[in-house]
Amino acid sequence: MTATATTDTAAAALPAVRPYESYVYAYPHKTAYRPLEDRPSLRSLWAAEPKDALSLYLHIPFCEVRCGFCNLFTRIGAPEELTTRYLDALERQAASVRDALGDGEPVRFAAAAFGGGTPTFLTAGELERLCDIAEKRMGADLRSAPLSVETSPSTATADRLAVLADRGTTRISIGVQSFVDEEARAAVRPQRRADVEAALGRIREARIPVLNIDLIYGIDGQTERSWLASLDAALAWRPEELYLYPLYVRPLTGLHRLGSAAGAEAGAEAEAREQAAWDEQRLRLYAVGRDHLLAHGYEQVSMRMFRRADAPREQEGPEDYACQTDGMIGLGCGARSYTAALHYSFDYAVDMREIRSIIDRFAAAEDFSRAEVGRYVDADEARRRHLLQSLLQTAGLPVADYRARFGTDPGTDFPAELAGFAARGWLDASAPDGLLRLSPSGLAHSDALGPALFSPGVRAAMAAYERK
């Protein structure tokens, strides 16, 4: 029997997995966080941490509308000068955090990002203040470090974009999701293609070096033809980056509420058939989108990210920053911060009433000197995080890098998981010696592969999380 036949036989004996288990954008997930009984001071947490290549993230939890698929920590609108009070609190937090970092050694931010929500929900003047908080309070040099900012079609106005360009923004990411108006409505995203195109024109006029366009596949009624139409509409703008996201219907979102009512009438068996058909649709559209972008001069960086092959490489960020090892400072009530031993944030919610309450408490807070909610990361979790974040990139994991950090090999630390991936054909058997890399099938199943690396403790904490 050939090696290929042996692998095929092993894969056939494995239990079926859903290809869209969970999008792993951070590990451990915030649903595994809990209130910290010891409430450690930020000064003690950061005292022994390297500070020469930090990432800075500022979170703005406001949007003009909430899309049906969205489970981000954000609220609709900001009445009664809430944005002013929020920025006041953000400035207090920044001062407290910068004080906690100390002056015993140089503090350098190698990368920065404004996310949300929609940071460009803020006015042009408020965006100036946001940049001032990053620079004057935190000490970040936004004109030398890569700065990425998220926007939306309705808030990408000329005055806001002018501020961002002037303050050193190197990358702007716009959530379009679909250029087909009917599909946007099906995703409960009120927008018109004409407005999207106008926003993209303004972004290009602002001359921000990198444009990223987000698109979603798996929308109800979407076909290969309409998906290709959206891809071609995006390609007409020659974006330096494109992110292709599978649609998820997550608890407490608008689409989940609509689907729950329909599912209750359909019954469990019919619902299972619909889920299987939806998984098949998303896998098919993923492959169509991937192949289309590769044929149009894009390189695949991960399951979701594609970069134009001739895009300026100086915008990718400094070579001395690595998300697997370097720390992160998050400012704002939905932001995470990472040290080697603790990941921490504030309370997390999806329900709009709960989010409003958390934002109001943040805006009124005076003391930001301690970590309130988070999860400690032991040696096993650090290994899992390093493997997960490396393996989900097309570049893969150099085993020597893992060995240099931990003194062990991933194959020794995670034999069952890696053997399972290999049996399914998810690992690239043609990768050079010393490189652990996903196959095309593995990349397509990233949202099943990633969760398979979660520790039992994190799984239990996530399962026990009470949604709110």
Side-chain angles (χ1 to χ4, degrees):
M1 183 178 290
T2 66
T4 300
T6 301
T7 301
D8 290 343
T9 301
L14 293 170
V17 296
R18 290 201 61 201
Y20 301 103
E21 179 74 23
S22 175
Y23 170 27
V24 184
Y25 56 89
Y27 180 79
H29 191 270
K30 284 176 75 172
T31 54
Y33 291 11
R34 295 293 184 271
L36 299 167
E37 294 183 4
D38 54 345
R39 297 181 64 246
S41 71
L42 301 189
R43 183 176 291 274
S44 66
L45 286 175
W46 286 97
E49 294 290 312
K51 306 178 186 69
D52 59 338
L54 298 174
S55 176
L56 178 64
Y57 178 81
L58 276 67
H59 178 248
I60 302 300
F62 307 112
C63 289
E64 70 278 13
V65 295
R66 187 158 198 191
C67 304
F69 53 83
C70 178
N71 72 335
L72 295 177
F73 188 94
T74 187
R75 63 163 290 164
I76 301 171
E80 300 177 3
E81 302 299 321
L82 179 56
T83 55
T84 299
R85 291 187 283 115
Y86 184 84
L87 290 171
D88 289 345
L90 201 66
E91 191 155 7
R92 292 194 297 272
Q93 185 191 15
S96 182
V97 172
R98 183 60 188 84
D99 179 68
L101 293 177
D103 296 314
E105 58 184 294
V107 176
R108 169 177 166 263
F109 292 99
F114 300 160
T118 308
T120 50
F121 178 90
L122 300 178
T123 66
E126 289 171 331
L127 285 172
E128 289 275 17
R129 185 180 178 191
L130 186 68
C131 293
D132 284 344
I133 291 172
E135 291 192 326
K136 297 177 181 178
R137 291 297 186 184
M138 292 303 302
D141 185 350
L142 299 182
R143 289 177 175 82
S144 65
L147 171 61
S148 177
V149 182
E150 297 173 15
T151 191
S152 66
S154 63
T155 62
T157 59
D159 58 339
R160 292 175 170 104
L161 293 169
V163 168
L164 295 176
D166 180 65
R167 299 302 291 262
T169 301
T170 54
R171 176 182 183 271
I172 192 106
S173 179
I174 183 168
V176 172
Q177 320 315 351
S178 177
F179 283 86
V180 180
D181 288 348
E182 293 79 8
E183 291 179 3
R185 286 195 293 271
V188 194
R189 181 179 176 83
Q191 69 181 26
R192 296 184 308 126
R193 177 170 175 173
D195 296 331
V196 171
E197 300 280 2
L200 288 167
R202 292 190 294 271
I203 291 171
R204 280 312 197 194
E205 288 171 3
R207 299 188 179 278
I208 293 170
V210 174
L211 164 64
N212 173 71
I213 298 176
D214 288 345
L215 297 175
I216 284 181
Y217 55 93
I219 299 171
D220 188 30
Q222 192 175 49
T223 65
E224 290 186 24
R225 183 176 180 179
S226 67
W227 176 228
L228 286 170
S230 272
L231 289 166
D232 286 336
L235 289 172
W237 291 97
R238 287 186 51 78
E240 284 72 23
E241 294 176 5
L242 275 160
Y243 270 71
L244 309 185
Y245 288 94
L247 179 65
Y248 274 89
V249 177
R250 298 179 175 94
L252 302 181
T253 62
L255 285 178
H256 181 259
R257 286 191 289 271
L258 292 172
S260 296
E265 296 179 3
E269 186 175 335
E271 186 177 359
R273 286 196 301 270
E274 289 178 4
Q275 285 288 344
W278 190 31
D279 286 346
E280 182 181 345
Q281 178 207 22
R282 286 181 287 180
L283 281 173
R284 183 175 67 255
L285 294 177
Y286 161 79
V288 167
R290 175 200 61 199
D291 294 348
H292 197 64
L293 294 186
L294 293 178
H296 281 76
Y298 284 75
E299 301 169 339
Q300 187 168 16
V301 179
S302 68
M303 172 186 165
R304 287 166 170 77
M305 181 182 176
F306 295 80
R307 180 187 295 123
R308 210 178 73 210
D310 63 347
R313 288 300 194 248
E314 62 268 20
Q315 305 303 330
E316 294 176 18
E319 294 182 358
D320 63 343
Y321 177 77
C323 63
Q324 296 94 331
T325 56
D326 290 309
M328 177 170 176
I329 297 290
L331 301 179
C333 58
R336 312 160 189 262
S337 296
Y338 305 148
T339 69
L342 179 68
H343 292 195
Y344 62 94
S345 184
F346 295 91
D347 202 4
Y348 172 72
V350 176
D351 179 77
M352 188 59 68
R353 288 172 297 181
E354 294 287 347
I355 289 174
R356 288 172 178 168
S357 176
I358 295 170
I359 293 173
D360 287 344
R361 291 200 301 272
F362 176 87
E366 296 290 339
D367 183 6
F368 292 99
S369 65
R370 295 182 175 275
E372 304 286 346
V373 178
R375 186 173 185 87
Y376 284 99
V377 177
D378 61 18
D380 174 69
E381 296 291 15
R383 285 174 166 83
R384 290 179 184 276
R385 183 170 181 262
H386 190 110
L387 175 61
L388 192 155
Q389 290 187 312
S390 302
L391 200 56
L392 294 183
Q393 304 293 309
T394 55
L397 169 65
V399 174
D401 290 355
Y402 184 98
R403 189 183 298 124
R405 182 180 179 191
F406 299 110
T408 56
D409 284 357
T412 302
D413 293 339
F414 304 101
E417 291 91 338
L418 293 177
F421 299 160
R424 293 184 186 278
W426 292 352
L427 298 183
D428 183 0
S430 67
D433 289 343
L435 181 65
L436 200 57
R437 186 171 66 192
L438 295 184
S439 66
S441 177
L443 281 170
H445 289 82
S446 291
D447 287 6
L449 186 149
L453 290 170
F454 291 4
S455 71
V458 165
R459 286 178 177 276
M462 292 175 68
Y465 174 76
E466 184 177 345
R467 295 190 181 98
K468 57 184 177 181

